[in-house]
Amino acid sequence: MALVLGLNSGSSFDGIDAVLVEIENGADGYPARPKFIAGNSYAWPDAVAEKVLRAFDNTLSLFELCRLNYLAGAVYAESARALMRELSIRPEQLEVIGYDGQTIYQEPPDHTRMAAFRDEENLVARWLDGPYPCGLQIGEPAIVAAACETIVVTQFRPMDHALGGTGAPLMQYLDYVAFRDVGPVLTLNIGGIANCQLADRDRGRMMAFDTGPGNVMLDHVARARLGKPYDADGAAAALGRIDQGLLDTLLAHPFFHRPPPRSAWRLDFGAGYADARMAEHPHLSAEDLLATFTEFTAIAISRSIRDHVEGLGRIDALLASGGGTRNGFLMQRLAAHLPSSLRLARSDEFGIPAAYKEAIKFATLAHATVNHLGNNIPAASGASRFGILGKIALPPRLARGV
C-alpha cells in the first residue's frame, strides 16, 4: 500500500487541488482503484495568478516565463506542504507527489500530416515545422522535491507527444485503473475544457477525446460581465435566454471537424474566442450569454459522444467529474441532451470525489511512473506504443555519497 499526494491546476485555472490517496497494486500488477483519504483546494497567489494569465495570452517575455516556472513550482510546493501539515504526513510516508504543472500552451498533432509523414528517422523534422504535438507545463519540480523532501513526478504529456500521441486528455489511465473491473464505462471530466473517456478492461478498445469547452468560456463571461470568478450553480445562466444565432456560430467551430483522438486548449475556446463572439452580439445580456454558452457546452459534449463513441447501447452510465459538476444548470442541460440510455451520474458513486478526480489522476499516474508501469493508453491518445509518462525529480534526502 502506497500513500501518494496528487496536485492539479487545470485549464479553468481556479486553484490548486491537493489530495492524499492510498494505492495498492491489483493481482494483475496494475493499481487497484485509488482510495481517497482527504483533499483540499488552495488559491493561486494574486501576484502569481496575474502572470499565469498573461502567459496564457502570450504576453510574457521568455525571461519572465522562466521565472514564472520557478514561481509556479513554489506555489505547488506550498500547496503540497499545506496538505501534509493538515494531515500530519511526514515526507518519508509518501511514495511520491504527482502533478502535471500548469499548462501554458498546447498544440495538438496534425493527424493528416502525420499519416503522410515518411521521414521517420528525422527527429528534427517532426517538430521543426512538423506535424508532431507539443506543449508547455510550468511548475519546476526541483522546488517541490526540495521543499517537500519527497520524490516528485511531473510533466506527463511530453512522452506521449514523443510517441505521436495527443498528450491530452490524460484521464484515461485513471479510468482504466478505476473502472476496468466494471467497464465498459463512459466518463466525462468538465474542467476548463471537457473531455470524455471510454474505459474498458481491454485497453485496445479504450478511447479519449476533448469534447470542447467546459467552464472556460462560462468563467470568462462571469468575470468580464458580472465581476465574479464564476457563475455559481449556473444561477445567472438559468435566468437567460439562448440566442440561436450565436449558438449556431459556436457549433460551427472548426474544432468539431477534428477526429478523435483530439485535444482542445484556450486557443480554441479561451478568452479571445469568447470576447470575439461577445463583440459580435453586443445586445446580449450577461445572462443570455451564459445561457447560450452553457447550452453550447452541453450540446458539444452530447454531440461528441453521439458522433464518436461506438457501441453506446452497451453503456448505461456517464460518470461525470470536475468543477463543472457543481454547476447545476449545466448538468441539467447536459442531461437533457444526452442519449436517453445514458444515466448521468458522478464519479463519487465509485469512491472518487468528482471535485478531486483530476488530482487523483496525477497521483495515480505518478505511482505508475515510479513503479515503471506503462501509464499511457495508445488506443486513446494515438501514441505509437506504450510508454512511461512523467519526469522524476529526487529529493535531497535521498542523496548518497555526501
Side-chain angles (χ1 to χ4, degrees), residues 51-60 104 266 271-272:
K51 296 178 186 298
V52 174
L53 291 172
R54 285 179 58 204
F56 288 157
D57 293 334
N58 196 26
T59 60
L60 283 186
I104 297 299
R266 287 176 173 265

Side-chain angles (χ1 to χ4, degrees), residues 244-299:
Q244 191 61 47
L246 173 56
L247 182 60
D248 290 343
T249 297
L250 297 170
L251 290 171
H253 195 293
F255 168 80
F256 298 108
H257 296 294
R258 300 179 200 165
R262 68 184 185 196
S263 59
W265 182 233
R266 287 176 173 265
L267 294 181
D268 292 303
F269 298 108
Y273 180 73
D275 283 339
R277 303 292 81 75
M278 291 161 64
E280 293 168 353
H281 297 80
H283 61 288
L284 294 182
S285 67
E287 290 78 9
D288 290 348
L289 287 167
L290 286 165
T292 306
F293 285 174
T294 299
E295 191 75 357
F296 174 44
T297 294
I299 293 176

Side-chain angles (χ1 to χ4, degrees), residues 5-25:
L5 195 153
L7 303 166
N8 177 69
S9 177
S11 53
S12 55
F13 190 59
D14 54 1
I16 295 178
D17 295 329
V19 299
L20 184 70
V21 297
E22 279 186 349
I23 302 179
E24 183 175 12
N25 286 351

Side-chain angles (χ1 to χ4, degrees), residues 58-107:
N58 196 26
T59 60
L60 283 186
S61 71
L62 179 60
F63 298 161
E64 291 173 309
L65 185 59
C66 174
R67 179 162 290 273
L68 180 59
N69 178 49
Y70 284 69
L71 267 175
V75 176
Y76 280 108
E78 292 282 15
S79 299
R81 292 203 300 188
L83 188 67
M84 292 169 69
R85 285 193 299 268
E86 291 163 16
L87 301 178
S88 300
I89 296 295
R90 302 185 306 277
E92 60 269 21
Q93 292 178 272
L94 290 175
E95 177 189 51
V96 64
I97 294 173
Y99 69 97
D100 194 43
Q102 180 63 55
T103 296
I104 297 299
Y105 177 71
Q106 186 166 284
E107 186 176 312

Side-chain angles (χ1 to χ4, degrees), residues 36-387:
F36 175 77
I37 296 175
N40 208 340
S41 297
Y42 307 97
W44 283 85
D46 289 343
V48 183
E50 182 271 334
K51 296 178 186 298
V52 174
L53 291 172
R54 285 179 58 204
F56 288 157
D57 293 334
N58 196 26
T59 60
L60 283 186
S61 71
L62 179 60
F63 298 161
E64 291 173 309
L65 185 59
C66 174
R67 179 162 290 273
L68 180 59
N69 178 49
Y70 284 69
L71 267 175
V75 176
Y76 280 108
E78 292 282 15
S79 299
R81 292 203 300 188
L83 188 67
M84 292 169 69
R85 285 193 299 268
E86 291 163 16
L87 301 178
S88 300
I89 296 295
R90 302 185 306 277
E92 60 269 21
Q93 292 178 272
L94 290 175
E95 177 189 51
V96 64
I97 294 173
Y99 69 97
D100 194 43
Q102 180 63 55
T103 296
I104 297 299
Y105 177 71
Q106 186 166 284
E107 186 176 312
D110 186 329
H111 293 291
T112 301
R113 291 179 63 203
M114 283 180 68
F117 193 72
R118 293 289 180 262
D119 197 359
E120 292 294 340
E121 295 303 314
N122 189 340
L123 296 178
V124 174
R126 294 183 181 185
W127 286 279
L128 182 62
D129 185 30
Y132 275 66
C134 61
L136 177 65
Q137 289 76 38
I138 62 169
E140 176 53 52
I143 295 174
V144 183
C148 299
E149 282 289 1
T150 304
I151 297 172
V152 170
V153 181
T154 186
Q155 295 186 18
F156 295 94
R157 304 177 199 272
M159 178 57 77
D160 203 60
H161 289 160
L163 298 174
T166 57
L170 280 177
M171 190 64 78
Q172 55 265 28
Y173 182 74
L174 172 59
D175 285 345
Y176 170 71
V177 163
F179 305 122
R180 68 187 185 278
D181 58 335
V182 297
V185 169
L186 203 59
T187 73
L188 172 70
N189 189 73
I190 311 175
I193 300 296
N195 52 75
C196 183
Q197 290 73 219
L198 174 63
D200 196 293
R201 67 176 69 249
D202 178 359
R203 284 174 287 178
R205 297 171 64 106
M206 289 184 63
M207 66 183 307
F209 53 89
D210 285 345
T211 63
N215 306 312
V216 63
M217 293 172 64
L218 302 176
D219 292 348
H220 179 70
V221 174
R223 285 191 295 267
R225 299 290 294 271
L226 299 178
K228 299 178 179 179
Y230 57 91
D231 178 19
D233 201 35
L239 298 175
R241 299 180 65 178
I242 297 167
D243 183 276
Q244 191 61 47
L246 173 56
L247 182 60
D248 290 343
T249 297
L250 297 170
L251 290 171
H253 195 293
F255 168 80
F256 298 108
H257 296 294
R258 300 179 200 165
R262 68 184 185 196
S263 59
W265 182 233
R266 287 176 173 265
L267 294 181
D268 292 303
F269 298 108
Y273 180 73
D275 283 339
R277 303 292 81 75
M278 291 161 64
E280 293 168 353
H281 297 80
H283 61 288
L284 294 182
S285 67
E287 290 78 9
D288 290 348
L289 287 167
L290 286 165
T292 306
F293 285 174
T294 299
E295 191 75 357
F296 174 44
T297 294
I299 293 176
I301 292 170
S302 176
R303 189 170 81 174
S304 294
I305 289 173
R306 292 176 187 271
D307 288 350
H308 301 300
V309 178
E310 296 182 3
L312 271 178
R314 64 192 180 104
I315 303 168
D316 60 9
L318 176 64
L319 304 180
S321 61
T325 61
R326 295 193 290 266
N327 184 327
F329 184 65
L330 172 58
M331 295 294 281
Q332 175 187 327
R333 297 310 304 151
L334 177 58
H337 287 290
L338 286 172
S340 58
S341 59
L342 275 182
R343 178 178 65 92
L344 181 60
R346 287 175 171 80
S347 59
D348 303 68
E349 288 189 11
F350 289 86
I352 299 179
Y356 290 118
K357 190 183 177 193
E358 288 194 273
I360 295 172
K361 165 186 70 181
F362 289 122
T364 307
L365 284 165
H367 169 78
T369 302
V370 296
N371 285 280
H372 296 183
L373 297 172
N375 54 358
N376 67 334
I377 308 288
S381 73
S384 60
R385 59 191 185 274
F386 284 99

